[in-house]
Amino acid sequence: MTRIAEIKTAIRHMLAGTAKVLGAAVAVLLLVSAPGCKKEVTGPVPAVFGGPADVTLILNNSSDRNSANPIKEPASKAVTIDEINTVHSLKIYAFKHDPYGPQNNELVAYGSYEGITGAGPHYIRMELSASGEIDFYVIANDIYADAAASTVLNEESTRSDIENFRFTGLVSPGTDAAVAVPMTNIPDGTATDRNNFTYTVKDNTVIPIEVSRAMARLSFSFAKSANDDKIFINSITIQNGPESAGYFTPDGTPEGLNSQKETIVGSQTEITVLNTTGSVEGNMQDLADEDYLLPNNVGVSNSAGEFEDNADEAYLVTVDYSVNGVGKTKEIYLPPVRPNDWVQIKAIFKEDIDNCVFEIIAVPWERKVMDDIIFD
């Protein structure tokens, strides 16, 4: 074989090997790019909304329906809570439900209503600029919430403004003026989950909305065990409440500590109701003076209201009283207080002052019980 022939043979072998390598590489590329083996990248499906829609919201107060106790007549305190007509005003916001997309902050309807009367249900008709999945934020009695002027909710408020709104308590309207407790449609005060108030809206959709109170209620009921006993409540104060709470946050998410004492009962009140049953479920004298509390996730776990290690930031109620001229003071630490709780402090006073027993009961508004709080 000539030298030229040898070179041609070597080149043919090299090309054949290269072809095998290229063929394998092409096969791998085809395998990777084959439609059946392609790895698809998934993401949120873009939200799609329709045209305008008219809706009717039916507003109910879930707190009254679930209550195991009858609603009392309005109290005669300087801040009087109207528990008969529980809803006086409404603010309703409707946003597009697009949690992963650019339309989530688009407001499709806003309504502000005042002068509402009656126990309900209340029917509110609204015109929405879009249909589809819609988030509704419903706030009742916001006009009675004490908050900084810079945080007032109005038609320009964003979704973030609403979810981060905080208030410090109730306004002070003056003597003989009634107010109402703020309420929202966050379910049972639990974490804000948009699905809890997201509705599929079509034209003429009817939407049921339930609201519950964003605060708790504190009341007092006393009696005496012997007709000849002279029982006087001299004063009742409360302190160690949070400085603020939210509307649409888990259990109000209280913040801060307000150690300033608030006087609930400031003038001497005689207890005249006789209860010889020994049970606070018997005949009791309800004090007209009540208080309305921001939620507080700090409280005692014992059933006697006694101090515990974590009680420094629990609500502290101090009762100054006398039995047949003998004065005593009792400090009672409350359990954790959630939105929509009704904490009832009850006592039957006895001539043997060391055997006077206080009982704390919390009912719906939500139920929790504390028993056998001893007066010592």
Side-chain angles (χ1 to χ4, degrees), residues 129-176:
S129 63
S131 55
E133 297 295 295
I134 305 296
D135 292 336
F136 288 89
Y137 294 80
V138 180
I139 307 167
N141 306 327
D142 178 65
I143 58 176
Y144 300 113
D146 195 0
S150 60
T151 62
V152 171
L153 297 176
N154 54 35
E155 67 277 7
E156 297 180 358
S157 299
T158 66
R159 184 194 288 267
S160 178
D161 292 336
I162 300 166
E163 293 188 349
N164 293 313
F165 177 84
R166 303 189 67 79
F167 69 112
T168 59
L170 296 175
V171 297
S172 298
T175 305
D176 298 329

Side-chain angles (χ1 to χ4, degrees), residues 21-37:
V21 173
L22 291 174
V26 170
V28 171
L29 289 173
L30 290 174
L31 181 64
V32 170
S33 60
C37 302

Side-chain angles (χ1 to χ4, degrees), residues 63-375:
S63 308
D64 293 340
R65 190 194 66 240
N66 294 332
S67 179
N69 289 52
I71 295 174
K72 296 198 302 183
E73 293 294 324
S76 59
K77 189 183 174 183
V79 176
T80 302
I81 302 300
D82 188 347
E83 286 296 336
I84 305 302
N85 303 309
T86 54
V87 175
H88 290 239
S89 68
L90 282 172
K91 288 180 180 176
I92 302 176
Y93 297 84
F95 289 90
K96 289 183 176 180
H97 179 76
D98 187 22
Y100 303 104
Q103 302 180 80
N104 199 50
N105 290 314
E106 185 174 333
L107 185 70
V108 298
Y110 168 77
S112 180
Y113 313 88
E114 295 187 14
I116 299 173
T117 59
H122 305 285
Y123 295 81
I124 300 96
R125 190 167 182 82
M126 299 185 72
E127 295 182 1
L128 278 59
S129 63
S131 55
E133 297 295 295
I134 305 296
D135 292 336
F136 288 89
Y137 294 80
V138 180
I139 307 167
N141 306 327
D142 178 65
I143 58 176
Y144 300 113
D146 195 0
S150 60
T151 62
V152 171
L153 297 176
N154 54 35
E155 67 277 7
E156 297 180 358
S157 299
T158 66
R159 184 194 288 267
S160 178
D161 292 336
I162 300 166
E163 293 188 349
N164 293 313
F165 177 84
R166 303 189 67 79
F167 69 112
T168 59
L170 296 175
V171 297
S172 298
T175 305
D176 298 329
V179 299
V181 175
M183 309 167 104
T184 70
N185 64 320
I186 182 171
D188 301 322
T190 54
T192 301
D193 176 356
R194 291 190 179 92
N195 290 327
N196 288 327
F197 40 90
T198 302
Y199 294 87
T200 302
V201 171
K202 301 177 182 178
D203 199 23
N204 297 318
T205 299
V206 176
I207 300 173
I209 298 287
E210 291 187 349
V211 292
S212 62
R213 297 171 182 87
M215 301 181 73
R217 179 182 184 182
L218 176 64
S219 65
F220 305 89
S221 301
F222 300 129
K224 60 182 182 179
S225 61
N227 197 46
D228 294 336
D229 286 344
K230 292 293 183 180
I231 312 295
F232 289 93
I233 303 297
N234 299 316
S235 68
I236 301 177
T237 62
I238 189 169
Q239 64 190 91
N240 293 358
E243 293 179 332
S244 68
Y247 280 164
F248 293 95
T249 56
D251 287 336
T253 314
E255 293 180 355
L257 176 65
N258 181 7
S259 58
Q260 183 176 356
K261 281 188 179 181
E262 175 194 346
T263 298
I264 302 173
V265 177
S267 58
Q268 191 177 69
T269 302
E270 184 176 4
I271 304 304
T272 59
V273 171
L274 179 65
N275 184 335
T276 59
T277 66
S279 169
V280 294
E281 298 305 316
N283 198 24
M284 302 292 291
Q285 178 177 333
D286 296 332
L287 268 62
D289 299 284
E290 300 183 341
D291 202 12
Y292 291 80
L293 311 177
L294 293 175
N296 188 1
N297 52 23
V298 179
V300 299
S301 60
N302 68 81
S303 62
E306 300 294 337
F307 181 84
E308 293 177 348
D309 290 341
N310 69 335
D312 286 333
E313 297 184 8
Y315 276 114
L316 171 60
V317 175
T318 302
V319 182
D320 181 34
Y321 67 102
S322 64
V323 178
N324 296 329
V326 180
K328 297 284 282 186
T329 298
K330 177 62 179 178
E331 292 185 341
I332 303 168
Y333 292 89
L334 298 188
V337 176
R338 297 179 61 248
N340 211 43
D341 276 357
W342 182 359
V343 182
Q344 300 178 354
I345 295 182
K346 301 184 177 185
I348 300 175
F349 294 97
K350 303 177 181 179
E351 184 177 9
D352 181 359
I353 197 168
D354 290 331
N355 286 324
C356 294
V357 176
F358 255 36
E359 182 170 337
I360 293 183
I361 305 172
V363 298
W365 314 32
E366 294 293 328
R367 177 175 293 278
K368 76 173 75 99
V369 179
M370 295 185 69
D371 302 311
D372 300 328
I373 298 177
I374 307 294
F375 262 30

